[in-house]
Amino acid sequence: MHNLTPNEQRHADSLEEIRSSPFLQADCGSADHLGPTLEELLPLGRYNDGWADVELDQNLMDCGLRFTDLGAQWRTSRKKLPRIQGDFNLLHLRDVLNQPEGPAATIPDASDSQLRFLSELRFFDHTPRSGSGKLTYIRLRPGGTPLEIWYSAVADIGGDPYPPGFIKMDITYCQYLDALLLTKGTYGWQYLYTDISLRRGDFRETAGYLQGMLEVFPEVFPQHDYTDLRERLEARQ
């Protein structure tokens, strides 16, 4: 394998944890293919004139990953285990920056301010293997340090002044990557880092996935500490 940074090694190990677990049936990407370093992508203005003054803070530069196919779709495979599943696929930042536009076309009748907001979003995590349409965006705008992280799904989330279907996560890009090491992309894990109640009836399935994750993963992946995630779920139920 290539000479990986410590953080890249953690994520390569996490992918292998999914692949090798006898409790999960998984379709995994690869940690073998690397793109350029984040430093090689600077300055951002060469990708978009509006990003000339967008700052990537040092923490993001240090934690960023070079993988070009890091992701997995999985589900529990033992009948006695809770039925949970997940999907994630992290894009290399180069592929994030090369996206020609944000998700404005998906929001009919958006206001001018909402269109400006949408134009600043580029997705960096998605669910291509399952096609479930879950997307996580980084907001690229001058003066926003650390850069905001927003989650979007086919659900009644968010609200004015932002367009429906988008909710801000209380998390940085680096913290998002850290959380993926624990959650492995379990459906709906992003809600644990938002201001939302999972008591709503339309979140029953999502809450079930998260509850199942916290029942199964401490035994399947005992090397990880799930205390914080458990407290976050309790605070939203």
Side-chain angles (χ1 to χ4, degrees), residues 78-152:
R78 301 287 180 89
K79 291 183 178 180
K80 293 184 179 181
L81 294 178
R83 185 183 67 88
I84 58 174
Q85 53 188 326
D87 190 4
F88 72 97
N89 195 83
L90 290 172
L91 298 185
H92 190 288
L93 190 59
R94 174 192 57 192
D95 299 322
V96 176
L97 297 172
N98 276 324
Q99 293 169 31
E101 58 186 13
T106 64
I107 308 297
D109 304 321
S111 67
D112 288 344
S113 63
Q114 290 175 341
L115 288 174
R116 283 194 297 272
F117 163 76
L118 293 168
S119 72
E120 297 168 343
L121 299 182
R122 296 294 186 275
F123 73 87
F124 68 90
D125 186 14
H126 62 146
T127 54
R129 290 176 175 84
S130 65
S132 59
K134 298 171 174 59
L135 296 157
T136 308
Y137 295 87
I138 191 166
R139 187 178 184 185
L140 296 162
R141 61 167 180 161
T145 304
L147 298 176
E148 296 175 358
I149 305 300
W150 287 75
Y151 180 62
S152 176

Side-chain angles (χ1 to χ4, degrees), residues 197-211:
S197 170
L198 296 174
R199 292 192 300 269
R200 290 169 24 180
D202 53 339
F203 280 116
R204 184 174 302 163
E205 184 177 49
T206 297
Y209 285 141
L210 297 176
Q211 187 64 52

Side-chain angles (χ1 to χ4, degrees), residues 7-8 11 36 38 63-67 70 90 92-93 173 177:
N7 198 41
E8 288 170 345
H11 284 272
L38 269 59
C63 78
L65 308 174
R66 292 173 292 164
F67 301 116
L70 192 78
L90 290 172
H92 190 288
L93 190 59
Y173 179 84
L177 297 184

Side-chain angles (χ1 to χ4, degrees), residues 79 226 228:
K79 291 183 178 180
Y226 287 89
D228 179 65

Side-chain angles (χ1 to χ4, degrees), residues 1-2 17 24 55 64 69 86 90 93 113-114 122 125 130 148 154 157 168 181 184 206 221:
M1 185 174 287
H2 301 279
E17 288 172 1
L24 303 179
E55 179 182 353
D69 187 29
L90 290 172
L93 190 59
S113 63
Q114 290 175 341
R122 296 294 186 275
D125 186 14
S130 65
E148 296 175 358
V154 183
I157 55 176
K168 186 175 181 294
L181 296 173
K184 315 296 189 193
T206 297
F221 306 115

Side-chain angles (χ1 to χ4, degrees), residues 162-215:
Y162 300 102
F166 293 81
I167 191 166
K168 186 175 181 294
M169 295 183 67
D170 181 23
I171 200 170
T172 66
Y173 179 84
C174 295
Q175 290 168 340
Y176 187 97
L177 297 184
D178 286 344
L180 266 180
L181 296 173
L182 298 176
T183 67
K184 315 296 189 193
T186 298
Y187 286 152
W189 75 264
Q190 291 91 342
Y191 292 123
L192 297 177
Y193 294 85
T194 66
D195 182 16
I196 202 167
S197 170
L198 296 174
R199 292 192 300 269
R200 290 169 24 180
D202 53 339
F203 280 116
R204 184 174 302 163
E205 184 177 49
T206 297
Y209 285 141
L210 297 176
Q211 187 64 52
M213 174 188 72
L214 292 172
E215 291 176 14

